[in-house]
Amino acid sequence: MHADLPDGRGTYSLTASLRRQVPYSALSTGVESVWTFRSGTTPEEQPLPLMAVRYSPEGLDDSNRAEPGSVTRLPLRIERNPGSTKAKATSVRLKMSELYSHSRIAVETGLPDGVVAGLVAGQRPPELTREESVAHDVAARLNAGAPLPGALYRSAVSAFGESGTAELVFLIAQYAAISMVLNAYDVPLPPDAE
């Protein structure tokens, strides 16, 4: 990305956001990164000293699963914009929105109360559509630490395609990793949690 800025010193914000809307998931619909920086007139172009926090869980198997009862470390690293000056990182915060309000979100997106109650109870409600049932079964099987049977994998590919199935598996793994971090640090429920 290239941008011409006005002469003189100023404070600027750069926002990068990604939004998605898919028929098989109302979760993980957006990601946003915001960088605020100061800049002044320079004799030549310079890369911005932008940073991004990356994580890579340790102790997971080839299917991104942790051994039940094991400790999974989540090392964080700061990735810097190539060619930029070394900006100082003063703090790192992990923020998640609506993490403990899935029931409320499910109802708001149109799932009937009976379906939500069944999901909360760990059951597959019979009212789910074919695609919702496949997504439920994939998530339940992976969260149980078991490999996907061939028939279930083929059902997922039939319902969502190869890339949709890969995205579903990634979302399940990402949610599991975040849940492990919250459990490791015994993060309390937010005040508005139901």
Side-chain angles (χ1 to χ4, degrees), residues 64-126:
N64 267 345
R65 295 176 301 201
E67 184 69 31
S70 67
V71 174
T72 301
R73 293 183 33 133
L74 188 69
L76 301 175
R77 71 180 190 284
I78 295 177
E79 192 174 273
R80 299 174 189 277
N81 193 15
S84 67
T85 58
K86 299 283 185 195
K88 181 180 177 183
T90 57
S91 68
V92 176
R93 288 179 288 155
L94 177 63
K95 291 172 61 177
M96 290 154 280
S97 62
E98 306 292 343
L99 187 61
Y100 293 99
S101 302
H102 292 307
S103 296
R104 181 169 41 94
I105 292 171
V107 170
E108 289 173 3
T109 59
L111 283 178
D113 290 341
V115 170
V116 174
L119 293 171
V120 169
Q123 303 163 351
R124 176 163 48 103

Side-chain angles (χ1 to χ4, degrees), residues 16-21 26-33 97 171 174:
S17 59
L18 173 66
R19 302 278 178 251
R20 73 181 190 123
Q21 185 175 5
L27 304 176
S28 239
T29 57
V31 175
E32 182 172 273
S33 296
S97 62
L171 288 172
Q174 186 177 28

Side-chain angles (χ1 to χ4, degrees), residues 5-186:
L5 302 176
D7 288 338
R9 296 196 61 74
T11 300
Y12 303 91
S13 286
L14 173 63
T15 302
S17 59
L18 173 66
R19 302 278 178 251
R20 73 181 190 123
Q21 185 175 5
V22 292
Y24 51 85
S25 178
L27 304 176
S28 239
T29 57
V31 175
E32 182 172 273
S33 296
V34 179
W35 296 271
T36 301
F37 59 95
R38 289 179 296 169
S39 183
T41 304
T42 59
E44 59 188 40
E45 283 187 8
Q46 295 181 351
L48 294 173
L50 306 179
M51 296 180 269
V53 176
R54 304 288 186 218
Y55 64 92
S56 46
E58 295 176 352
L60 303 181
D61 66 16
D62 290 341
S63 298
N64 267 345
R65 295 176 301 201
E67 184 69 31
S70 67
V71 174
T72 301
R73 293 183 33 133
L74 188 69
L76 301 175
R77 71 180 190 284
I78 295 177
E79 192 174 273
R80 299 174 189 277
N81 193 15
S84 67
T85 58
K86 299 283 185 195
K88 181 180 177 183
T90 57
S91 68
V92 176
R93 288 179 288 155
L94 177 63
K95 291 172 61 177
M96 290 154 280
S97 62
E98 306 292 343
L99 187 61
Y100 293 99
S101 302
H102 292 307
S103 296
R104 181 169 41 94
I105 292 171
V107 170
E108 289 173 3
T109 59
L111 283 178
D113 290 341
V115 170
V116 174
L119 293 171
V120 169
Q123 303 163 351
R124 176 163 48 103
E127 304 93 334
L128 295 179
T129 66
R130 176 183 168 272
E131 290 81 9
E132 291 168 339
S133 293
V134 170
H136 173 277
D137 292 350
V138 169
R141 186 75 179 199
L142 292 176
N143 281 317
L148 288 182
L152 180 54
Y153 178 81
R154 288 188 296 278
S155 292
V157 170
S158 172
F160 310 117
E162 288 281 344
S163 62
T165 299
E167 192 172 4
L168 174 64
V169 170
F170 174 78
L171 288 172
I172 294 165
Q174 186 177 28
Y175 183 83
I178 290 169
S179 296
M180 282 189 271
V181 171
L182 295 174
N183 288 337
Y185 294 101
D186 197 22

